[in-house]
Amino acid sequence: MRRAITIIILAALFIPISASVLSYAEEYVPKERNGYLTSIAHRGASAYAPENTMPAFTKGVEMGADYIEIDVQMSKDSIPIIIHDRTLNRTTNGKGKVSDYTLKELKLLDAGSWFGEEFTGETIPTLNEFLGEFGGKINILIELKYPELYPGIEEQVANVLKEHKLVKPDSIEIIIQSFNHESIKRSKELLPEIPHGVLVGKDWRRISSQQLEEFATYADYFNPSFNIVTAELVELVHLTNMTMYAYTVRDQSEAGRLYSLGVDGIITDYPDYVNLIVQK
Ligand code: G3P
Ligand code: CA
């Protein structure tokens, strides 16, 4: 009954979704999720607060997201920090490469005012600070960002997780993902009990089942750009026993389309879009 109501709401909210997609949704409900759609607050609830800062993470929790996604790089003195771009230019009042600055120097920068005056004075969080605040309270999706620029980042992240006693599955889940699949293999060896994920972009549109099986030897999650998601891809990924969280959704009708196709979760700047679909 709840499923039927959801389908009706989807039809009303997302008129652009084609009839064929909806009829697929009626037939296909992955057993594992029973209609549930996991919401992952991308860089925190980054539509509402400056990405990858404490207010964005807090907002994600308040909005009922299941996970907070963070981008982890390293300071010049090898401290894992949370920031998306290779440079400081877009999201701080600093300039130049993240990797050229020590943590002490990075902490002097303002990472909030670019988004809104009320966020002035927010700083780039360290992974340690983030886990101190949110570890054990919400599921976390850690992206190793540009790990090729930071030799040893996998070990440094593993050490911080160990310090916070977060390396064994507990009531909350930690997932580590990256576009750099070699880095994920290394991380999986260091942290075998933590689920890992491969991120793939648009150029992976035509992926073979053989390649998916290869990923599944070390990854538990196959997380693609939403652009390449089809019902067939979802089915293939599930057949290899991987879970699929699609990124990055900034459009309500796209969230509806992905749900209809059977993805397990949506990585989004707007966690409220997922709440509308599954009525959390
Ligand atoms: O979690 C996946 C997504 O964050 C990957 O893209 O560029 O936003 O880190 P990006
Ligand atoms: Ca990311």
Side-chain angles (χ1 to χ4, degrees):
M1 182 60 188
R2 206 171 150 190
R3 177 82 184 147
I5 292 169
T6 304
I7 296 292
I8 291 163
I9 290 170
L10 271 176
L13 282 174
F14 314 119
I15 300 299
I17 297 171
S18 72
S20 63
V21 167
L22 281 176
S23 69
Y24 184 84
E26 280 162 332
E27 291 159 22
Y28 183 76
V29 181
K31 288 188 199 77
E32 308 81 33
R33 68 172 187 164
N34 291 323
Y36 193 76
L37 182 64
T38 298
S39 63
I40 301 105
H42 180 242
R43 312 178 195 169
S46 56
Y48 302 98
E51 64 180 57
N52 284 323
T53 64
M54 291 298 191
F57 306 142
T58 303
K59 191 78 187 160
V61 173
E62 285 170 3
M63 294 180 93
D66 298 298
Y67 284 79
I68 301 292
E69 191 252 6
I70 58 173
D71 297 295
V72 175
Q73 302 189 54
M74 285 207 296
S75 61
K76 190 176 177 182
D77 44 345
S78 300
I79 310 295
I81 51 165
I82 305 179
I83 185 166
H84 178 272
D85 295 2
R86 287 164 213 251
T87 70
L88 300 162
N89 306 10
R90 183 177 61 88
T91 59
T92 77
N93 59 350
K95 280 216 180 325
K97 290 184 198 161
V98 171
S99 57
D100 283 345
Y101 291 84
T102 63
L103 179 61
K104 200 170 166 197
E105 291 165 338
L106 291 169
K107 274 294 183 186
L108 297 174
L109 302 176
D110 181 331
S113 57
W114 69 275
F115 190 88
E117 234 174 68
E118 66 274 33
F119 299 105
T120 301
E122 287 304 326
T123 60
I124 299 171
T126 64
L127 178 60
N128 184 45
E129 287 166 349
F130 171 78
L131 293 176
E133 187 66 31
F134 297 98
K137 295 187 187 149
I138 185 163
N139 303 311
I140 300 166
L141 178 58
I142 297 175
E143 179 179 350
L144 300 179
K145 200 79 193 160
Y146 312 122
E148 57 281 6
L149 299 180
Y150 304 102
I153 190 172
E154 299 84 4
E155 286 79 4
Q156 296 296 342
V157 168
N159 289 342
V160 180
L161 289 172
K162 280 176 193 157
E163 280 159 25
H164 286 265
K165 304 197 180 351
L166 289 169
V167 292
K168 289 200 177 146
D170 201 342
S171 50
I172 63 127
E173 179 125 309
I174 307 261
I175 304 167
I176 300 178
Q177 64 171 3
S178 185
F179 286 103
N180 183 325
H181 304 156
E182 291 307 311
S183 174
I184 287 306
K185 281 186 199 163
R186 266 195 302 283
S187 179
K188 183 73 183 173
E189 277 171 24
L190 295 167
L191 299 167
E193 293 181 88
I194 288 203
H196 282 67
V198 287
L199 280 164
V200 302
K202 291 179 205 161
D203 41 347
W204 287 86
R205 198 176 291 275
R206 273 182 260 286
I207 190 164
S208 65
S209 12
Q210 202 180 8
Q211 176 63 65
L212 285 170
E213 276 160 24
E214 211 272 304
F215 282 146
T217 60
Y218 59 91
D220 311 276
Y221 289 79
F222 176 85
N223 296 343
S225 164
F226 74 88
N227 292 292
I228 67 165
V229 177
T230 59
E232 292 70 28
L233 181 64
V234 173
E235 199 161 6
L236 275 178
V237 169
H238 286 159
L239 279 172
T240 53
N241 279 325
M242 289 189 287
T243 301
M244 185 192 287
Y245 292 168
Y247 72 91
T248 298
V249 176
R250 300 183 173 101
D251 179 282
Q252 179 74 75
S253 64
E254 184 55 36
R257 183 189 79 94
L258 291 166
Y259 179 68
S260 301
L261 294 178
V263 302
D264 304 286
I266 290 183
I267 300 171
T268 176
D269 296 354
Y270 299 86
D272 43 329
Y273 287 179
V274 178
N275 298 353
L276 274 173
I277 294 171
V278 290
Q279 299 173 312
K280 284 187 191 169

